[in-house]
Amino acid sequence: AVVTGAGQNAGRAIALELARHNAGGIAVNDFVRERAEAVAAEIEAMGVPAIAVPFDVGDLNAIKAADAAIKEKLGPATILVNNAGMAGPGGSLRPSLNFWEEDPENWERYLRTNLYGVYNCCFGFIPNMVEAKRGRIVTIVSDSGRTGEPKLAVYASAKAGAQGFVRSIAKELGRYNVTCNAVSLSSLMPDLPPEQL
């Protein structure tokens, strides 16, 4: 299993839960190397193989390199959890300005992580699933993609795009025994310690 954004919070909890159910090995992604390595060490302490794969989900070449490293240590990944989100590396998700008051340069950080990141990871890991004739893709979205979120219009539209994308690839991948689901945790997650998520 590959879990993106798994160095903390919900992603960490997902990675640990997959390990508890012996998903066969966990690739822990985060854009902060130390966080990915710490969670991978936790998983290995449980007796489950793990590897830290730090990369930015917006970088398709980095994903391809991670796929090669994962195959070498764990074998081909047939489970993908697209959890990385929010405002990307170094960003925070806090409502601030109305859409028309924003600097358009800020749009890219929301789109890169929440939409293009999902595209990139699926593009990078789906071939493993098609070849194996089995797989699971879970994409963490947000209710803001369905209802909208004031002062976070671009984030909400990126999440809505991810939801539509998941529905579309589900129709493409069903014949290969690959399921695709979108799960909404909330429109804005509180800052809770990992053990409370």
Side-chain angles (χ1 to χ4, degrees):
V2 178
V3 184
T4 67
Q8 61 183 351
N9 301 329
R12 173 181 172 270
I14 292 166
L16 292 173
E17 192 64 18
L18 284 166
R20 284 187 197 97
H21 290 279
N22 194 17
I26 312 295
V28 180
N29 162 258
D30 199 280
F31 58 80
V32 177
R33 177 178 294 278
E34 293 76 17
R35 291 196 306 227
E37 289 174 346
V39 176
E42 283 185 81
I43 292 168
E44 288 186 320
M46 298 167 65
V48 177
I51 183 174
V53 283
F55 59 80
D56 174 359
V57 296
D59 183 345
L60 183 55
N61 288 328
I63 291 166
K64 291 176 180 177
D67 180 47
I70 293 164
K71 284 176 178 170
E72 185 175 338
K73 180 164 184 184
L74 304 175
T78 56
I79 299 170
L80 169 63
V81 180
N82 288 306
N83 171 72
M86 303 302 219
S92 64
L93 184 66
R94 294 289 177 264
S96 55
L97 299 172
N98 292 309
F99 173 73
W100 62 91
E101 298 168 328
E102 285 184 0
D103 181 344
E105 290 186 6
N106 289 332
W107 302 347
E108 175 64 19
R109 62 192 173 118
Y110 291 113
L111 294 171
R112 177 181 173 91
T113 301
N114 298 287
L115 184 58
Y116 300 146
V118 174
Y119 293 168
N120 288 340
C121 289
C122 287
F123 188 82
F125 295 109
I126 282 174
N128 297 331
M129 302 178 200
V130 170
E131 184 175 348
K133 300 282 193 294
R134 64 184 171 84
R136 303 290 177 259
I137 298 172
V138 177
T139 299
I140 306 302
V141 293
S142 167
D143 206 38
S144 67
R146 182 181 61 85
T147 64
E149 192 70 55
K151 300 187 178 183
L152 283 173
V154 178
Y155 170 78
S157 67
K159 288 297 188 180
Q163 291 176 43
F165 172 73
V166 169
R167 290 186 191 100
S168 296
I169 63 168
K171 293 179 178 180
E172 295 178 7
L173 288 168
R175 71 190 69 194
Y176 300 103
N177 194 31
V178 177
T179 62
C180 305
N181 293 281
V183 177
S184 177
L185 300 179
S186 71
S187 59
L188 285 176
M189 290 196 61
D191 293 324
L192 294 175
E195 61 272 11
Q196 294 183 25
L197 289 172

